[in-house]
Amino acid sequence: MKTIDELLAEGVAGKRVFVRADLNVPLDGTTITDDGRIRAVLPTISKLAEAGARVVVASHLGRPKGAPDPAFSLAPAAARLGELLGADVAFAADTVGVSARAAVAGLADGQVAVIENLRFNAGETSKDDAERAAFADQLAELADVYVGDGFGAVHRKHASVFDLPARLPHYAGYLIATEVGVLKKLTTDVKRPYAVVLGGAKVSDKLGVIDHLLERADRILIGGGMAYTFLKAKGYEVGSSLLQEDQIPAVREYLSRAEEKGVEFVLPVDVVVAPAFPDLKTKAPAHPTTVAADAMPEGQMGLDNGPETNKLYASKLADAATVFWNGPMGVFEHPDFADGTRAVAQALVDSPAFSVVGGGDSAAAVRILGFDENAFGHISTGGGASLEYLEGKTLPGLAALED
């Protein structure tokens, strides 16, 4: 895999460099609530611009259905990119049409343009190879060189991620190089004890990585909505908590395998419950109570780890040498249910371990809860991509950058 440093050594002045970034930022209307992904790609874009490249930045945002949708426009991300660069950034109102071609043609050396959401074109995400290829051909006309730096999308076989690199000289940007280097530390010669913290809503989203980690991790801590399927598998009642009944047999098998292999599975011992899911817009009080994990009342919903669980998890992370964390411990967006996620983040800050926060909601939580990003070993920009990497899967966007 060639890197951006090799590209810069070859010279980029006057060349149109297509940077496939991940600007898939959370929005409240047109307001960006977390610009972490934009800041993560800044080193690549800045270096190219400083070297005289004409930089064409492209990304997806959300899940539009293959057609323009103002709710998913990249215009706010383009504006924020310009603020962070301290320079004007041109914005094209389409992906490969008149506006995109004009924006790219109007670039001078060292200038940057952002084209509209790639998923406004059905060819970006199409499962039909020919349709994706046709869109990739159009994108290729906008550039002379391709730089892949959207780690959050490398697990997708999409036109701009998989097909386009084959049509242009291609290189890995700084972010992808960093992300891959960090993930290798979690899969090769891992420093032990190796602890993994998994949260989030659905256990089905994590089955593959749990299966893989049972061969590698020393202890696995479970939280979030997925914890209630584990608790149910142990015979506990879980009230009206999120539950995937169909996953209980698989969970029981994993718990049994973990015991056989000497992998410590750590589940909540107490949980914070409420009668209903909280209002995340008004943040109105949700009237939570704390109960033992094996004594959840009927009609109550588990929404966070309890204080005893928070102490237990902190103790299980205190002596770890390597920690991977993916998924919040509760509904951290509401102050009544943020303590579990905050406790895990604080435990990683306090630990001497090499800690990796695995993208997605857990990365957003670290920033929203006010933690210094530099206190962690690495905060990934790709939750799904990092999980699939740890599962041992081939990621299309990384394979496309190999020579």
Side-chain angles (χ1 to χ4, degrees):
M1 186 184 294
K2 289 184 178 178
T3 68
I4 187 174
D5 284 331
E6 293 173 83
L7 171 60
L8 291 166
E10 294 166 10
V12 293
K15 291 183 179 179
R16 300 171 302 163
V17 180
F18 188 102
V19 177
R20 196 346 176 150
D22 178 9
L23 308 181
N24 185 27
V25 292
L27 293 171
D28 182 1
T30 59
T31 302
I32 296 171
T33 58
D34 178 12
D35 67 358
R37 284 178 168 157
I38 301 176
R39 287 185 287 110
V41 77
L42 277 180
T44 290
I45 295 172
S46 298
K47 203 76 170 178
L48 288 168
E50 288 166 9
R54 303 179 181 192
V55 187
V56 183
V57 181
S59 176
H60 69 286
L61 191 152
R63 297 177 182 268
K65 300 184 185 215
D69 182 338
F72 297 106
S73 175
L74 275 175
R80 180 60 179 149
L81 177 62
E83 290 172 0
L84 292 168
L85 288 172
D88 290 337
V89 169
F91 180 67
D94 56 29
T95 55
V96 291
V98 173
S99 182
R101 291 195 298 271
V104 174
L107 289 175
D109 293 1
Q111 291 185 331
V112 179
V114 175
I115 63 174
E116 185 55 284
N117 192 336
L118 292 164
R119 291 184 183 175
F120 285 3
N121 189 303
E124 169 68 0
T125 59
S126 176
K127 289 183 169 45
D128 182 86
D129 291 348
E131 188 175 8
R132 274 200 334 274
F135 184 46
D137 286 341
Q138 291 178 293
L139 290 172
E141 292 176 6
L142 300 176
D144 306 303
V145 180
Y146 178 93
V147 172
D149 215 28
F151 181 74
V154 293
H155 58 313
R156 306 294 188 194
K157 193 177 182 181
H158 291 169
S160 66
V161 175
F162 179 75
D163 301 89
L164 182 56
R167 289 156 170 76
L168 296 168
H170 46 270
Y171 302 80
Y174 290 123
L175 176 60
I176 279 186
T178 298
E179 294 272 15
V180 171
V182 166
L183 289 172
K184 282 181 178 176
K185 291 183 180 181
L186 300 179
T187 54
T188 308
D189 297 326
V190 181
K191 292 184 178 179
R192 298 185 178 279
Y194 177 21
V196 176
V197 186
L198 296 176
K202 294 181 178 179
V203 69
S204 55
D205 293 342
K206 305 290 197 305
L207 287 179
V209 76
I210 292 172
D211 184 69
H212 203 68
L213 288 168
L214 281 173
E215 305 294 329
R216 290 159 179 80
D218 297 301
R219 61 186 72 128
I220 300 174
L221 288 62
I222 301 294
M226 63 184 284
Y228 302 100
T229 301
F230 278 87
L231 293 172
K232 185 72 172 179
K234 287 179 69 69
Y236 300 164
E237 292 304 318
V238 295
S240 59
S241 306
L242 184 64
L243 176 65
Q244 290 186 284
E245 293 264 11
D246 61 325
Q247 300 300 329
I248 288 176
V251 166
R252 284 182 177 147
E253 180 196 341
Y254 288 150
L255 290 171
S256 177
R257 278 177 55 198
E259 189 173 357
E260 290 171 8
K261 292 179 175 296
V263 177
E264 187 179 7
F265 241 106
V266 189
L267 300 177
V269 294
D270 62 344
V271 294
V272 181
V273 300
F277 196 84
D279 188 324
L280 299 183
K281 284 194 177 294
T282 66
K283 304 288 196 299
H287 310 294
T289 56
T290 300
V291 299
D294 61 354
M296 290 184 62
E298 186 176 342
Q300 293 285 313
M301 179 181 295
L303 295 165
D304 196 15
N305 288 346
E308 293 306 313
T309 300
N310 294 342
K311 292 177 192 173
L312 173 65
Y313 284 19
S315 72
K316 296 296 182 181
L317 297 173
D319 68 338
T322 304
V323 181
F324 174 73
W325 172 29
N326 181 280
M329 298 293 97
V331 186
F332 71 91
E333 300 94 337
H334 192 286
D336 288 345
F337 309 106
D339 286 350
T341 302
R342 184 181 290 109
V344 168
Q346 188 63 55
L348 297 191
V349 170
D350 294 340
S351 168
F354 174 68
S355 58
V356 178
V357 181
D361 287 340
S362 37
V366 163
R367 290 187 278 266
I368 289 170
L369 295 176
F371 286 90
D372 180 359
E373 295 179 46
N374 295 320
F376 303 87
H378 178 70
I379 298 180
S380 179
T381 57
S386 59
L387 286 175
E388 291 197 16
Y389 189 98
L390 292 183
E391 285 180 50
K393 290 184 177 180
T394 297
L395 305 188
L398 297 184
L401 294 176
E402 299 286 352
D403 291 312

